[in-house]
Amino acid sequence: MPSILGVIRTMALHIETPLVESRALSMSAGRSVWLKLDALQPSGSFKIRGIGHACETYLARGARRFVSSSGGNAGLAVAYAGRLLGVPVTVVVPETTTDRAKELLALEDAEVVVHGASWQEANAYAQSLIDASDAFLHPFDDPLLWQGHATMIDEVRRSGLVPDAIVLSVGGGGLLSGVVEGLHRNGWSNIPVFAVETEGAASFHEAVKAGHTVELERITSVATSLGAKRVCEKAMHWSKVHSIHSVVVSDHSALSACERFLADHRILVEPACGASLAIAYENAPELEGFRTVLVIVCGGATATVDQIREWAKKCA
Ligand SMILES: *Cc1c(COP(=O)(O)O)cnc(C)c1O
């Protein structure tokens, strides 16, 4: 009994994901395109890397419950981590949350509390529930998250592949902060990053333009996982000390990339991830001069193929 538990507890909650060269994307982009397939993480997105690490750390510090206010991939990662660690999870979501998201959370045995008309209200209520023995898991703004996300770059480094540019999606900037931390801790501080957002969710783009973080009035993109109104300060910090190029694509581009990726690689991802794939599918001018491009396939479990096609019809 103790030996089995011992084995389980020494393993991280995330898995080491495949790193593959995509023939289809390489042909579209006219250069070598590699994929870090974090869509294959057990919770459906890269988020389990950072959230798994944060949950394990908070448990070791004595947390008795994990609380989240995300009805998206962050909440799913907390629910998954809690189930594996044997820690109860409460996720507070607003009334706008889809039935699918609530079902996915319930499938991981999380307690789902529906409260308020918007995320702000759900989040405020979640904060009010927290007592000294609870840990609140932020979706993108926590150094433990960035440390955990950075493991994907450790894996790339161990594989022997040396990319000369990295493409990733930006919501609140947690993935960006983790990947850049990973580049720096592997001696790759010279590798540039393309930080991709969709129109209507471009809070990093606006921050870079302004020279400081700014709050978007509202999110209008279908890429809801990129819908942080303001990026974390750490993402802003990295934009000043690392070569990070902000790129904005349309919802239409992100959605067609999802459809093409499903056909080419048989993996369904959210438009939040399609945004990064679109850069390669459309051979964006920004990629000029780079021979080996690594796309972080961040994944996402909250969109169905029907929903992606429904959205695509609306923004055709
Ligand atoms: C959370 C998420 C993002 C954005 O990550 P941030 O850390 O918020 O920038 C992108 N894609 C998917 C699928 C996500 O779940």
Side-chain angles (χ1 to χ4, degrees):
M1 186 77 161
S3 68
I4 293 171
L5 282 174
V7 168
I8 293 169
R9 293 297 301 282
T10 57
M11 277 171 59
L13 294 167
H14 67 269
I15 61 163
E16 179 158 345
T17 52
L19 176 67
V20 297
E21 186 175 24
S22 168
R23 182 70 181 155
L25 275 151
S26 298
M27 288 294 117
S28 299
R31 64 197 80 244
S32 174
V33 177
W34 286 75
L35 307 172
K36 184 62 175 156
L37 289 172
D38 261 47
L40 302 180
Q41 287 292 350
S43 72
S45 80
F46 75 95
K47 284 219 173 61
I48 188 59
R49 290 184 186 267
I51 285 182
H53 177 59
C55 284
E56 286 187 301
T57 306
Y58 293 133
L59 174 61
R61 291 181 191 163
R64 310 278 278 280
R65 180 172 69 150
F66 300 142
V67 178
S68 163
S69 57
S70 158
N73 297 304
L76 285 171
V78 177
Y80 176 82
R83 181 169 63 78
L84 265 70
L85 295 171
V87 174
V89 172
T90 300
V91 183
V92 184
V93 297
E95 284 142 16
T96 50
T97 306
T98 62
D99 287 341
R100 174 174 167 79
K102 284 182 262 185
E103 281 160 22
L104 289 171
L105 288 165
L107 195 62
E108 294 292 359
D109 296 339
E111 178 196 16
V112 181
V113 178
V114 180
H115 185 95
S118 69
W119 176 80
Q120 274 77 8
E121 287 166 52
N123 185 53
Y125 184 64
Q127 303 291 341
S128 78
L129 295 179
I130 295 167
D131 68 36
S133 62
D134 293 333
F136 179 75
L137 279 299
H138 196 280
F140 56 81
D141 195 2
D142 181 341
L144 291 170
L145 248 58
W146 311 327
Q147 274 173 29
H149 294 338
T151 56
M152 74 178 77
I153 300 302
D154 302 339
E155 290 169 20
V156 175
R157 177 67 205 253
R158 279 202 299 273
S159 78
L161 175 75
V162 184
D164 53 18
I166 294 184
V167 179
L168 53 77
S169 299
V170 179
L175 175 59
L176 173 70
S177 299
V179 164
V180 177
E181 180 170 326
L183 292 173
H184 283 248
R185 80 183 185 197
N186 282 285
W188 277 352
S189 54
N190 60 330
I191 299 181
V193 172
F194 291 95
V196 190
E197 297 170 293
T198 47
E199 288 161 10
S203 46
F204 181 67
H205 189 73
E206 292 304 318
V208 169
K209 265 204 308 199
H212 53 83
T213 66
V214 287
E215 175 133 347
L216 301 182
E217 224 167 275
R218 59 181 173 276
I219 302 297
T220 55
S221 170
V222 299
T224 48
S225 293
L226 303 186
K229 286 187 180 171
R230 182 193 288 269
V231 295
C232 59
E233 294 302 329
K234 191 68 179 184
M236 196 63 225
H237 161 78
W238 282 124
S239 76
K240 291 175 177 164
V241 299
H242 192 92
S243 172
I244 302 177
H245 308 276
S246 167
V247 185
V248 179
V249 303
S250 66
D251 274 355
H252 177 75
S253 288
L255 289 162
S256 14
C258 291
E259 189 72 51
R260 289 177 72 178
F261 192 67
L262 179 59
D264 289 336
H265 286 277
R266 304 155 308 279
I267 298 173
L268 180 67
V269 296
E270 290 182 15
C273 176
S276 280
L277 294 167
I279 296 295
Y281 273 125
E282 297 177 4
N283 190 20
E286 287 86 354
L287 295 183
E288 191 59 53
F290 295 103
R291 285 198 304 188
T292 308
V293 175
L294 173 66
V295 180
I296 306 298
V297 184
C298 49
T302 71
T304 63
V305 71
D306 289 344
Q307 194 174 23
I308 283 168
R309 288 177 183 161
E310 205 51 43
W311 280 325
K313 265 188 244 158
K314 278 186 202 148
C315 60

